[in-house]
Amino acid sequence: MSWLPKSPKARRRLWVVAAATPVLALAVGLSLWAMQDNVTFFFSPSEATAEAAPAGRTIRLGGLVETGSVVQDGATVSFAVTDNAATSRVIYEGDLPDLFREGQGIVAEGSFGSDRVFRASTVLAKHDETYMPREVADRLKASGEWRPEGGAAAPAAASSVRSPSPMGDSATRTL
């Protein structure tokens, strides 16, 4: 065979690589197959269509809690999550985070029912009052709906300022 190397050492290396490659490919394939049930995708309400987020599949739904949509009935809370393009109804049983309120950015983990109502098993909100999940903020910015706290347009880019550090040299920080 002319494609094999002439050196016995190189031939041996080639056979080792040829034998190890399918074993490694099989190990990677089995690992990825085993992890597919643990992957949770993030969707905004406008992306959570019946095709992209089928009923029964665990996903994360993020957006802003719609004003006037929170209804509490004992331990069950229902509310609407919006990304200003679409709205999804969410039902959650349990204690909500302390900073949960209308207009707040949240991420709910759960699944859609056949009626396209999202049944959340977890509602996440960060301890900071100005928190909005990064994915939600990115999607609002991409759709042009981003409104920072003051209601003004978001700054185009952060500015850099040179400031002295305690060690005597200057450091750059982003405002």
Side-chain angles (χ1 to χ4, degrees):
M1 291 193 229
S2 63
W3 57 272
L4 285 175
K6 296 202 188 299
S7 164
K9 208 176 197 182
R11 238 186 254 168
R12 208 174 348 193
R13 277 192 217 132
L14 180 64
W15 286 112
V16 168
V17 168
T21 301
V23 172
L24 183 62
L26 181 65
V28 168
L30 287 174
S31 297
L32 291 173
W33 182 70
M35 288 189 294
Q36 73 183 357
D37 291 337
N38 295 330
V39 174
T40 305
F41 293 101
F42 177 86
F43 293 94
S44 65
S46 60
E47 296 171 337
T49 61
E51 296 81 32
R57 179 176 168 200
T58 301
I59 65 165
R60 287 188 178 140
L61 180 69
L64 301 172
V65 178
E66 197 169 60
T67 304
S69 69
V70 179
V71 177
Q72 190 155 4
D73 182 28
T76 304
V77 179
S78 68
F79 55 93
V81 174
T82 184
D83 61 357
N84 294 327
T87 301
S88 293
R89 195 85 194 136
V90 178
I91 296 176
Y92 175 68
E93 291 186 32
D95 294 329
L96 290 168
D98 290 338
L99 292 174
F100 177 88
R101 64 183 180 279
E102 296 174 350
Q104 174 75 27
I106 61 110
V107 174
E109 188 170 337
S111 61
F112 280 101
S114 57
D115 56 357
R116 297 307 293 167
V117 173
F118 190 78
R119 287 172 177 66
S121 58
T122 308
V123 175
L124 306 170
K126 196 165 168 132
H127 57 77
D128 185 4
E129 292 177 6
T130 59
Y131 172 72
M132 179 175 298
R134 183 186 47 175
E135 295 93 349
V136 174
D138 291 345
R139 296 222 170 100
L140 287 174
K141 287 176 186 176
S143 68
E145 297 293 330
W146 175 252
R147 301 281 187 271
E149 292 262 335
S159 62
S160 293
V161 176
R162 302 282 294 172
S163 63
S165 73
M167 301 302 285
D169 57 347
S170 64
T172 304
R173 64 178 187 182
T174 304
L175 299 177

